[in-house]
Amino acid sequence: MAYAADTEHTGTAQAPVHAVPDALAYLAGAWRVERTVRDFAQAATGAAGGAGADEEPVAGRFEGTTLFTPLTDVEPGAGAPGPAGLLHHESGTFTWHGVARPAERTLRFLPGTPAGTAVVHFADGRFFHDLDLRSGRHTADHPCAADLYRGEFEVYDASRWRTRWRVAGPSKDLLLTTDYTRLP
């Protein structure tokens, strides 16, 4: 799905962003997910069917859903359980080089500081990135070994948002663009 804000593909001006005063409240619920993965490194080397630097990057595609469901604070001795963030569970089908496979991932979105922001962790508890959508846009970096993941987040309205993760490193040159549309 291409949004009006997709200047990379359409050349049009960016659509206005939608300010989000509370990231966790905005994300809660079910979302349709459409992701493209462009591998510029494989295109440049001609690997995996690429013909060289003049060719389009190798592309993959993910289609599925993401559910943001409430986490509860259940630490022993903490009293009654209360809201502690959101569990992000993504599942669907990833197609790469014409081969479709089931794919899923789980993240934890926890309340951040200042209020209205979030801190994102992998399922195993490792820090991933912060998230501040109060202006409708956010940029986050995540170093991973020798690679750097730079995420750009844009909220278009109450039911649409996008992430673009640019991954650069010694053997990686990727662009992952994910469009989220709220499900009823």
Side-chain angles (χ1 to χ4, degrees):
M1 170 181 290
Y3 298 136
D6 189 359
T7 56
E8 177 184 344
H9 297 103
T10 65
T12 61
Q14 287 192 353
V17 294
H18 177 78
V20 174
D22 184 337
L24 296 177
Y26 175 79
L27 295 171
W31 300 83
R32 183 181 68 214
V33 179
E34 297 177 12
R35 177 177 302 122
T36 58
V37 179
R38 298 170 65 193
D39 188 338
F40 299 98
Q42 284 191 2
T45 63
D54 294 334
E55 293 294 317
E56 281 293 310
V58 175
R61 182 163 186 80
F62 174 86
E63 294 179 334
T65 58
T66 293
L67 301 176
F68 285 92
T69 57
L71 287 169
T72 54
D73 182 359
V74 291
E75 288 185 33
L86 297 172
L87 182 67
H88 160 285
H89 182 77
E90 178 179 280
S91 61
T93 302
F94 182 61
T95 303
W96 186 253
H97 299 292
V99 178
R101 294 187 173 99
E104 62 181 41
R105 71 176 176 165
T106 300
L107 300 170
R108 297 169 63 90
F109 283 63
L110 307 174
T113 302
T117 65
V119 179
V120 183
H121 290 260
F122 294 104
D124 65 6
R126 290 176 297 128
F127 175 76
F128 185 14
H129 63 83
D130 58 345
L131 184 63
D132 182 352
L133 299 175
R134 293 174 300 162
S135 72
R137 285 194 173 106
H138 182 71
T139 300
D141 287 342
H142 173 72
C144 183
D147 303 322
L148 177 65
Y149 288 66
R150 170 156 290 161
E152 297 176 356
F153 301 77
E154 290 184 326
V155 179
Y156 300 118
D157 56 38
S159 62
R160 295 179 309 132
W161 60 291
R162 167 180 279 179
T163 65
R164 286 187 187 93
W165 284 96
R166 186 74 167 117
V167 184
S171 61
K172 291 183 182 175
D173 189 4
L174 303 168
L175 176 62
L176 294 82
T177 303
T178 308
D179 292 314
Y180 296 84
T181 305
R182 189 177 298 279
L183 294 170

